[in-house]
Amino acid sequence: MSENFRPETLAVRAGIERSQFNEHSEALYLTSSFVFKSAAQAAARFANQEPGNIYSRFTNPTVTMLEQRLAALEDAECCIATASGMSAILACAMGLLKAGDHIVCSASVFGATVQLFGTILKRFGIETSFVSGTEVAKWRASVQPNTRMLYLETPSNPLTEVYDVAALGAVAKKAGALLVVDNVFCTPVLQRPVELGADVVIHSATKFLDGQGRVLGGAVLGRRDVIYEGVFGFLRTAGPTLSPFNAWVILKGLETLRIRVEAQSASAFELARWLEHQPQIERVYYPGLPSHPQHALAMRQQKSGGAIVSFDVKGGRETAWRVVDATRMISITANLGDTKTTITHPASTTHGRISQEARAAAGIGDGLLRVAVGLEALEDIKADLARGL
Ligand SMILES: *Cc1c(COP(=O)(O)O)cnc(C)c1O
């Protein structure tokens, strides 16, 4: 937007492109293609000599509105929306890397990301070294001459490890690599990786951006030269594009993102403090707690600890499953970032497909539970967990 609006305003107003009807709410353009005035105009559009929509695998006005709004919120030059968070990560890798390249990736990332890098990209000649731990020196030591990408989530899923984005951005720069940060847990409300020094930001819009568990979506953001040439080039050809309907849902989700994330994070902080005092709990993982190993760094990088709390229960898998099964209100589901509180047992679900060794390296034990706090009354959430504990 031309004016220097604050993020709260951008979340509601950025990216709006009104049609000739001057609709107030953002229009949903459910159309697979766009009509040209003439053969000459069709040719000009295809030759990139005239801007405009051609086909919704490339661009669609509703999707473009979402991209512009999210770019404004992340303070990024360019945003490309994708069909899911995983297709955002795939588009990022396929658009920016080639056979023979090397990725340094945090071991503590989303299970499917480990699978994608460690198994699928490997078949295409892209090697990944997984680093466990948050020490910058370990990342530096893993860099090879062919390293082109450093990849992390902060806070990580599900252990909420916090990584120093500015320091790792410097490591990436020195190596001639791109620093890619998955910002799903914080959203731009709590953390803006581009400002901190990341080259690329990844979103699963499925989580907080939609925020009500309705649709899948994703996004890749960063400098125009990186995102437009590389990522969009792959996406428009290969096709894991976001549907306009999902874009519209997420666009409306962004309008309430700040109040949801702030309220859910405030509840999560209180829940984490309460959990720390429960005798059946071994350890609580929450960046907003002073007991968190990277608490100081988290408070520098993030506005608050976020809405996700993980904890180890005493008694391993048996106790963990008992806590899950004793809930009556909290949803037993893999999603997070929803207005409804959700609970998962990562070792047997989201991280169940990676090897036992990889799981151990990532510190995901059998007693670990992850709660993504929603908008219900905090006392009801506590009571639901207390039953199994
Ligand atoms: C869910 C998630 C993803 C993948 O997103 P999808 O929309 O499910 O494909 C990636 N990273 C993190 C941190 C996630 O939580």
Side-chain angles (χ1 to χ4, degrees):
M1 292 183 101
S2 51
E3 281 156 276
N4 241 345
F5 287 125
R6 290 161 185 81
E8 294 88 324
T9 310
L10 294 171
V12 180
R13 299 264 173 194
I16 296 179
E17 188 74 56
R18 295 207 164 99
S19 77
Q20 75 273 29
F21 299 115
N22 251 340
E23 65 283 348
H24 187 207
S25 176
E26 296 75 359
L28 168 50
Y29 293 94
L30 278 182
T31 179
S32 38
S33 71
F34 299 84
V35 178
F36 310 112
K37 288 199 186 87
S38 63
Q41 188 184 44
R45 289 258 175 107
F46 270 89
N48 230 346
Q49 287 157 356
E50 177 191 301
N53 297 293
I54 299 172
Y55 187 58
S56 286
R57 172 153 42 78
F58 312 159
T59 57
N60 172 284
T62 309
V63 177
T64 303
M65 284 192 262
L66 169 66
E67 290 169 340
Q68 297 202 343
R69 186 168 295 178
L70 193 54
L73 292 176
E74 284 285 8
D75 206 14
E77 257 173 47
C78 188
C79 171
I80 296 297
T82 60
S84 65
M86 286 317 302
S87 54
I89 301 169
L90 175 70
C92 178
M94 297 297 276
L96 301 174
L97 301 174
K98 60 181 190 316
D101 286 349
H102 174 247
I103 305 171
V104 181
C105 181
S106 161
S108 197
V109 289
F110 191 63
T113 307
V114 175
Q115 281 284 117
L116 175 66
F117 288 178
T119 309
I120 298 176
L121 291 186
K122 193 180 159 82
R123 286 199 273 118
F124 295 89
I126 296 169
E127 292 285 338
T128 302
S129 303
F130 291 97
V131 180
S132 40
T134 55
E135 301 94 331
V136 174
K138 277 197 181 170
W139 287 74
R140 206 177 285 119
S142 300
V143 169
Q144 302 175 7
N146 59 340
T147 302
R148 289 293 162 264
M149 187 178 283
L150 269 57
Y151 188 98
L152 60 93
E153 290 169 20
T154 184
S156 70
N157 180 19
L159 291 177
T160 75
E161 282 180 356
V162 176
Y163 294 81
D164 190 332
V165 175
L168 291 168
V171 173
K173 193 166 190 176
K174 191 155 174 246
L178 296 168
L179 176 64
V180 181
V181 174
D182 179 326
N183 200 27
V184 167
F185 268 36
C186 272
T187 81
V189 173
L190 302 182
Q191 170 175 274
R192 301 214 291 177
V194 169
E195 265 174 14
L196 295 167
D199 298 291
V200 177
V201 177
I202 295 287
H203 271 290
S204 165
T206 318
K207 312 297 167 57
F208 291 97
L209 305 192
D210 167 22
Q212 288 152 83
R214 299 166 293 195
V215 297
L216 291 173
V220 190
L221 300 102
R223 286 191 308 275
R224 195 166 178 81
D225 59 330
V226 174
I227 303 301
Y228 193 79
E229 302 301 325
V231 180
F232 180 60
F234 168 77
L235 202 84
R236 57 174 281 159
T237 304
T241 320
L242 185 64
S243 103
F245 179 80
N246 291 9
W248 182 82
V249 172
I250 297 161
L251 190 57
K252 302 310 280 180
L254 288 183
E255 295 182 6
T256 56
L257 179 67
R258 180 179 59 90
I259 55 172
R260 284 186 283 107
V261 169
E262 285 177 357
Q264 290 170 228
S265 302
S267 284
F269 175 58
E270 293 304 328
L271 184 71
R273 292 213 303 187
W274 175 79
L275 285 167
E276 259 195 329
H277 292 107
Q278 303 310 303
Q280 305 84 345
I281 298 223
E282 193 98 53
R283 182 171 168 192
V284 179
Y285 304 85
Y286 185 70
L289 290 176
S291 60
H292 189 283
Q294 294 98 38
H295 175 66
L297 170 64
M299 294 301 98
R300 277 205 308 278
Q301 281 188 172
Q302 310 171 197
K303 265 199 195 140
S304 79
I308 289 124
V309 184
S310 294
F311 50 96
D312 283 319
V313 294
K314 291 177 186 160
R317 174 170 163 152
E318 200 186 314
T319 317
W321 279 27
R322 193 184 69 221
V323 172
V324 171
D325 290 341
T327 58
R328 290 181 199 150
M329 183 266 292
I330 296 173
S331 314
I332 308 172
T333 179
N335 199 23
L336 63 89
D338 198 298
T339 53
K340 297 179 176 71
T341 299
T342 62
I343 190 164
T344 38
H345 180 246
S348 57
T349 59
T350 52
H351 292 67
R353 283 178 58 188
I354 61 174
S355 70
Q356 180 81 44
E357 303 83 71
R359 223 167 30 234
I364 296 160
D366 285 340
L368 183 75
L369 290 172
R370 185 193 75 193
V371 172
V373 178
L375 287 177
E376 304 96 337
L378 177 61
E379 292 312 315
D380 292 335
I381 299 170
K382 281 185 193 167
D384 216 29
L385 292 172
R387 202 173 300 111
L389 290 170

